[in-house]
Amino acid sequence: MSKKPTIMVLGAGFIGSYLGAHLANKPDLCSVHLIGRQSYFTTLQSAGSLSATSQSGTTVTIPYEKLNLYDSVDAFCTAHPNVHPTYIIVTVKRITAHRAYADLKRWGENPNVTVVTMMNGVRAADEARDVLKGCDVNEGMWPFNVIETDTGHFEQASGGDVFVEDSEKGRVLAGIFRESGIPTQVSADMHGILYGKLLINLHNAISALTGLPIQQELSTRSARQVWAHCMSEALDIYRANGINPVSFLPHVPLSIIPYLLSLPNFLFLRLATRMLSIDPRATSSMYEDLRKGRPTEIEYLQGEIVRMGRECGIAAPVCERVVGLVKDVEGKGGLGNLTGEMILDALELI
Ligand SMILES: NC(=O)C1=CN([C@@H]2O[C@H](COP(=O)(O)OP(=O)(O)OC[C@H]3O[C@@H](n4cnc5c(N)ncnc54)[C@H](OP(=O)(O)O)[C@@H]3O)[C@@H](O)[C@H]2O)C=CC1
Ligand SMILES: CC(C)(CO)C(=O)C(=O)O
């Protein structure tokens, strides 16, 4: 690819802003355009800049005037009538992704436009392909938590490498991400990576229902037990479907992780030091959704396990009840205040 790529980040929220700030900091590598809500851009304007700090403590700051911001894909097309993005990175929530794909239909038959679905859950790329039949759609995986610590300032709060598909354009994109300061790998097994990530994301509901940051959640045995039960159900269903998730803990077989999580505190806190060495401010995207009174992605997390289970005749009662608990709290418009024991009780596990 000789020409400097045009990258559209569709969904300027936590991930889109963190990614967008890093890419905008490398104008020689790519030209980046952020699509988001006008209300957010107005707050950015008053903050004067968009900035992002990585786990290593490096901060990139982009003055507001240097940002390319649009409140819709239409607005981008009006400003750049003859530009077709080389990449469109979709960083919206899964519940709104269908609307984002509809906005992209104008490029739906353009094989030179690569859409990268960078969202939690599995099957995001399949859903995109259903709408954008002629586009090149690649899967992506965003591994770490991003928090907003000040208006327009985003920080990496947990670890891991971003993954993109091992395709020709995926490799180029991974190189751009790396050069912009975002550790990125390519994988020929994005399916395994995304099903592995889904197992991690089964804890999102627990952080959101308890209102606990990840470190405290992991330090609470009852909260870990809820995650372990969800993960055991998921692993049984994966096995029945021939799905081989890529493990998120190197050297620890996935089948052991539910046992590890269920250990009493005195053992877990000694054995899981790496899991626990996380920024104490790290939460989850679902925690943030409930905190802001927004609908969550629960249907794409525990809900996905329930759906897969139904398809192969295996019940997932714990995941199903967790979906119900999250929906109850969603209706109340704030974070949950349940303890781990209360959740175990509601799930009829004690
Ligand atoms: N936050 C995190 O730490 C992590 C998040 N993820 C995943 O990454 C994905 C993105 O999450 P996150 O960044 O937290 O989400 P956010 O809700 O913070 O960001 C998405 C933004 O895009 C906006 N948006 C949605 N649709 C459109 C559209 N069609 N045009 C313009 N703007 C639009 C949303 O506005 P509105 O709210 O008004 O719809 C919102 O401001 C999710 O799948 C999440 O699970 C993965 C790992 C960590
Ligand atoms: C924080 C992390 C990485 C795990 O829960 C995540 O994917 C999320 O917040 O959605």
Side-chain angles (χ1 to χ4, degrees), residues 120 143-145 197 200-201 203-204 214 283-285:
N120 277 342
F144 55 82
N145 182 228
K197 175 79 193 301
I200 305 184
N201 285 129
H203 95 88
N204 286 21
I214 296 177
T283 59
S284 72
S285 49

Side-chain angles (χ1 to χ4, degrees), residues 20-22 24-27 32 34 41 44-52 59-69 152:
H22 279 83
N25 193 43
K26 294 283 177 187
V32 63
L34 303 187
F41 296 150
L44 273 187
Q45 186 169 22
S46 39
S49 61
L50 169 66
S51 58
T59 298
V60 297
T61 302
I62 315 299
Y64 177 80
E65 323 70 72
K66 293 250 161 96
L67 293 164
N68 299 316
L69 308 174

Side-chain angles (χ1 to χ4, degrees), residues 10-17 35-37 40 70-73 90-94 96-97 99-101 103 118-121 142-147 197 201 204 283-286 288-289 292 294 297 301:
L10 177 43
F14 280 33
I15 303 305
S17 297
I35 317 292
R37 302 299 182 204
Y40 169 57
Y70 312 85
D71 65 3
S72 63
V73 174
V90 184
T91 56
V92 300
K93 287 277 161 52
R94 285 292 297 279
T96 56
R99 287 205 289 273
Y101 303 146
D103 290 348
M118 194 66 84
M119 288 168 280
N120 277 342
W142 190 274
F144 55 82
N145 182 228
V146 170
I147 52 176
K197 175 79 193 301
N201 285 129
N204 286 21
T283 59
S284 72
S285 49
M286 195 180 291
E288 203 51 34
D289 283 337
K292 291 183 174 150
R294 298 189 302 210
E297 295 183 304
L301 306 180

Side-chain angles (χ1 to χ4, degrees), residues 10-11 37 53 55 58 69 84 92 109 131 134 147 185 189 200-202 230 264 267 294 323 334 350:
L10 177 43
R37 302 299 182 204
T53 301
Q55 216 172 20
T58 308
L69 308 174
H84 306 291
V92 300
E109 299 301 330
V131 182
I147 52 176
Q185 298 187 42
D189 182 18
I200 305 184
N201 285 129
L202 295 178
C230 291
L267 277 173
R294 298 189 302 210
V323 173
I350 45 175

